[in-house]
Amino acid sequence: MTQKKTILDFLKMKANAEPISFVTAYDYPMATFAERAGLDMILVGDSVGMVVYGYENTLPVTMEQMIYHTEAVRRGAPNTFVVGDMPFASYQSSSEAAVLSAMELVKKTNCDAIKLEGGVRVVERIKAISDAGIPVMGHIGLTPQSSSQLGGFKAQGRTAESALQLLEDALAVEKAGAFALLLEAVPPEVGGLISSRLSIPVLGIGGGDRVDGQLLIVGDMLGLFESFTPKFVKKYTDLASIITAALTHYRDDVKNRRFPEDIHCYKMAKGESERLQAMLGDK
Ligand code: KIV
């Protein structure tokens, strides 16, 4: 059985330059596989909205949906550090709303930490949630909940000025009490700079090779999400083709009466088939 890692373990991993492995999951089976594969951390991201529900973006995702999926992941990965994502509109309006939302997510799902998006502008929220005793992961760079403000799903920090703005955001998130920072879609120089200036672990999703750990969205890396594939994704397999081929095979077997075979069929108790025939014969 794996031993669940803690925030202190992640700090030690950063100090020892041991990369942290991080993946998203949204349901019980995938969480089971992630734990079996020895991932250090699982994010139940609001990307569930796009990967599982087929929404165009993450904005429609509700707290009820996040609770439902985070609970399932917790059951599938009881010994892995699970981060629950705060959906849009659950923390933006006030620090009080943010603390109540974070408490609800943790209380109902038993996740180990929460994640929210934003830099300087959400430091009060991060501080309030941390002060309530809940570990917070920050998230800057390409922040999908505000992608329309950013002009779409675009890489960030590509100019010196915007890289410095990201560094300012990162330092503010750390100062506010976050235990880790997720950095999305920035050049490796920016990932390296931010990781070297922060004492908390900096995890990258499209953040290059100089950060303290890597996150990928499970639907992207397994080839399940077909709408688009960001540049930073490495596809480790093509489950969409594998699943479609298996379903086609099944359909053909059914249509051609090749399924079920004898091995898939229950047997009547000894002698009962003959007895049934005899009983039917009497009628
Ligand atoms: O919801 C999510 O999976 C995320 C990633 C895009 C980082 O926030």
Side-chain angles (χ1 to χ4, degrees):
M1 195 176 70
T2 49
Q3 172 78 26
K4 196 206 281 189
K5 298 219 166 55
T6 66
I7 288 170
L8 295 180
D9 293 318
F10 298 128
L11 281 171
K12 270 190 224 143
M13 289 169 83
K14 175 170 175 122
N16 297 335
E18 181 190 341
I20 297 167
S21 55
F22 193 18
V23 73
T24 69
Y26 314 108
D27 58 24
Y28 177 88
M30 204 59 86
T32 310
F33 305 147
E35 178 156 305
R36 199 179 297 159
L39 270 295
D40 296 310
M41 235 190 247
I42 296 176
L43 171 67
V44 189
D46 64 354
S47 49
V48 68
M50 298 170 78
V51 178
V52 175
Y53 289 89
Y55 301 149
E56 257 179 37
N57 54 46
T58 57
L59 300 186
V61 175
T62 63
M63 182 56 92
E64 288 68 31
Q65 287 169 318
M66 290 312 304
I67 289 169
Y68 175 81
H69 289 279
T70 311
E71 274 187 301
V73 167
R74 173 80 293 161
R75 282 194 291 273
N79 301 310
T80 306
F81 192 93
V82 170
V83 182
D85 211 1
M86 299 272 278
F88 178 66
S90 68
Y91 61 93
Q92 283 88 348
S93 59
S94 69
S95 291
E96 197 189 332
V99 172
L100 289 174
S101 300
M103 283 177 165
E104 185 182 14
L105 189 54
V106 170
K107 209 174 166 69
K108 293 192 172 160
T109 69
N110 196 24
C111 62
D112 299 290
I114 62 94
K115 175 175 85 59
L116 52 75
E117 297 183 9
V120 170
R121 66 181 174 174
V122 296
V123 291
E124 292 306 322
R125 310 287 184 268
I126 295 176
K127 186 166 170 4
I129 297 170
S130 301
D131 286 350
I134 297 172
V136 179
M137 176 180 284
H139 178 176
I140 62 169
L142 169 51
T143 42
Q145 289 176 9
S146 42
S147 61
S148 37
Q149 260 184 345
L150 300 174
F153 288 85
K154 289 193 172 134
Q156 303 294 306
R158 296 180 68 213
T159 63
E161 289 78 10
S162 65
L164 282 179
Q165 178 59 54
L166 283 174
L167 177 60
E168 199 183 311
D169 280 329
L171 290 167
V173 165
E174 175 174 63
K175 191 160 171 236
F179 79 95
L181 176 69
L182 182 63
L183 193 53
E184 179 165 353
V186 301
E189 295 90 324
V190 179
L193 169 70
I194 292 178
S195 169
S196 69
R197 298 290 179 94
L198 264 55
S199 49
I200 58 173
V202 176
L203 304 157
I205 174 163
D209 56 352
R210 303 173 206 172
V211 287
D212 307 308
Q214 299 293 335
L215 170 68
L216 279 179
I217 292 189
V218 76
D220 289 336
M221 61 164 300
L222 298 181
L224 275 171
F225 182 68
E226 296 181 296
S227 303
F228 63 91
T229 304
K231 177 181 173 58
F232 56 75
V233 170
K234 177 169 174 183
K235 250 192 182 185
Y236 284 82
T237 186
D238 186 5
L239 281 191
S241 305
I242 294 171
I243 292 171
T244 308
L247 290 172
T248 308
H249 192 168
Y250 166 64
R251 187 212 54 200
D252 290 347
D253 276 358
V254 171
K255 296 280 180 198
N256 293 296
R257 300 191 180 281
R258 287 191 298 260
F259 175 83
E261 297 165 47
D262 204 35
I263 50 163
H264 307 119
C265 297
Y266 296 102
K267 304 266 177 276
M268 283 196 79
K270 200 158 184 260
E272 289 305 299
S273 183
E274 294 74 11
R275 256 174 30 83
L276 175 62
Q277 288 309 320
M279 286 160 85
L280 287 171
D282 291 346
K283 298 224 159 109

